Amino acid sequence: MERVTEPRARFVVMYDLPSDIEEFERHYREVHLPLAKQLPGLRRYTVSHDAVPVIGEPYYLVVMLDWNDMESLGAALSSEIGNRTAEDAMTNLARYTTIRGMIVQLDDQ
């Protein structure tokens, strides 16, 4: 029996309230999400609306993408599909909102 390991690396993307919610949502669902779900080695893709940070205003959307390890995450982000996904975010989604991202290494508890 193969042991299933928990993801060890996470890319978190936070989106502020879009200026045009309808267009942002349309593009996100029809174009960006299908691209992102093709990232090599992606283990889990989680989306939360209206996430409240510890300090400040809620984010409109928080997305967490999980990989087995930092090497897999790095390979995915630097792949052709990773470059296309980043370009789509910076070219299309950024027209409607501010986007913030961070990479987190997850530790065993």
Side-chain angles (χ1 to χ4, degrees):
M1 180 176 187
E2 184 179 330
R3 182 174 180 255
V4 176
T5 60
E6 286 298 313
R8 305 275 313 204
R10 178 171 287 163
F11 182 47
V12 181
V13 185
M14 298 153 286
Y15 299 89
D16 287 333
L17 183 65
S19 58
D20 185 333
I21 292 173
E22 187 175 307
E23 276 304 304
F24 173 86
E25 285 288 337
R26 184 199 60 73
H27 187 86
Y28 189 86
R29 281 189 318 274
E30 294 176 9
V31 178
H32 192 75
L33 184 59
L35 274 175
K37 286 191 171 184
Q38 295 177 53
L39 287 163
L42 182 65
R43 291 278 308 275
R44 184 170 39 219
Y45 192 100
T46 307
V47 177
S48 299
H49 276 87
D50 299 319
V52 179
V54 174
I55 299 172
E57 297 297 314
Y59 291 107
Y60 176 74
L61 192 67
V62 175
V63 180
M64 293 179 286
L65 300 93
D66 293 334
W67 280 267
N68 285 343
D69 50 49
M70 293 300 279
E71 293 78 22
S72 299
L73 186 153
L77 296 183
S78 62
S79 69
E80 178 186 344
I81 196 71
N83 290 328
R84 287 176 46 205
T85 303
E87 182 179 340
D88 180 63
M90 295 300 110
T91 302
N92 297 307
L93 295 178
R95 286 188 282 173
Y96 305 110
T97 188
T98 301
I99 304 169
R100 297 172 181 83
M102 66 179 159
I103 295 174
V104 179
Q105 185 167 350
L106 305 173
D107 294 324
D108 291 331
Q109 293 292 321

